[in-house]
Amino acid sequence: MVAQIISFPEQKSSNKLAVSFRFLLSLYAIVPLCLLVLWLDEFGFNFALRDMLPSSPTHFLLFQILFGTPHIVASNLLLVSHQDYLQAFKGKLIAMTLFIMVFFGIGSLFIPYRALYIITACWTVYHVLKQQQGIAKAVCRLPNWAFYLQLWLSVSAGIFIYMGIFLKNSLEPEQAALVLQIASVLTTALVISTVFCQRYVPSRLGIYFLWANTLLVVSSWYVYSQQYYFLAILMPRLVHDITAYSFYVTHDVNRHSEQPQNNLFRAATAIRLPVWLVLPLLSFVLTYLLQAYGDDLVNLLLQTLFSTQIYKAVTLGFLGYLALMHYYTEAFVWAAGSPLRRYIRFSGV
């Protein structure tokens, strides 16, 4: 979420809950924790944990249920459950839906799967790191050139780390080594850039944020280079997802706590479900149902009605569509002037 750079206007004084910058910074504690786990496993348990963990996070259903997909489901639920948001963005939503259908649907008949995968991977990394850099921008107050230098070095390094992890089984040894070398060069350049750019940051909290984002990429590179692929993805995934939920929950509490304004929150109020729990709980439940049973249910219906099946219709098709819509919409729904931003304020600066 919040791929758009955060700015401070458009805050509603009656908002009771605030997004805390200090809380968001605390999420980066996952980085030293994962490094500690790695070193304990390496020096104390002879890589036992590394051998136990799946070679890719996507091989671990629990990871998919807990990370990544739930916040994507939550962001889409937040939009479609509010009629005024649908009305405000309907033109963009329709246009993007048509683009996804044409480019990733019809285009898949002509564009190689590897090319589509790389495009999606680059967009994923950009989305994740743009969110973190955008939040840091509000605290660091970097000049535009310095912000974009940090952003693009982070994204470039992140893309090669991502490729090294998720394409490792399809890369030749020489290709895998080249990907790691490029990631190493870009990560080193990011560290040098951060040392140079920190002189423009006016506050200690801003410096902490600046280095937190850099160390997130550096640590992911290091953990990836040590072949702890699961941990390399876990760190940015956890920071990104909890940051996103902090915005969603803040929005819901500030909009619906006094008077529920749509059917979802009226139903939650009727069963006395706390406002802050509605979207997280529903998104995790839906993610589990879709991941565990979605494909089988759709194929059962298709087999019964049309004697045919579609490969991963839900886990690849539907959830893939939601992910792409999430990457697109989060670039503008939290921007200054958006109807969603009326329910967001910040604290801790």
Side-chain angles (χ1 to χ4, degrees), residues 313-326:
V314 173
T315 55
L316 183 60
F318 180 63
L319 291 181
Y321 163 76
L322 292 183
L324 294 173
M325 288 299 293
H326 169 72

Side-chain angles (χ1 to χ4, degrees), residues 4 50 52 83 150 182 241-242 245 268 300 316 329:
Q4 184 76 19
R50 187 180 69 181
M52 289 173 54
Q83 188 62 38
Q150 291 291 107
I182 296 174
D241 290 9
I242 298 180
Y245 273 113
L300 176 62
L316 183 60
T329 59

Side-chain angles (χ1 to χ4, degrees), residues 195-208:
V195 172
F196 180 76
C197 289
Q198 70 177 353
R199 71 181 67 182
Y200 299 100
V201 180
S203 68
R204 181 170 296 182
L205 182 64
I207 291 176
Y208 291 160

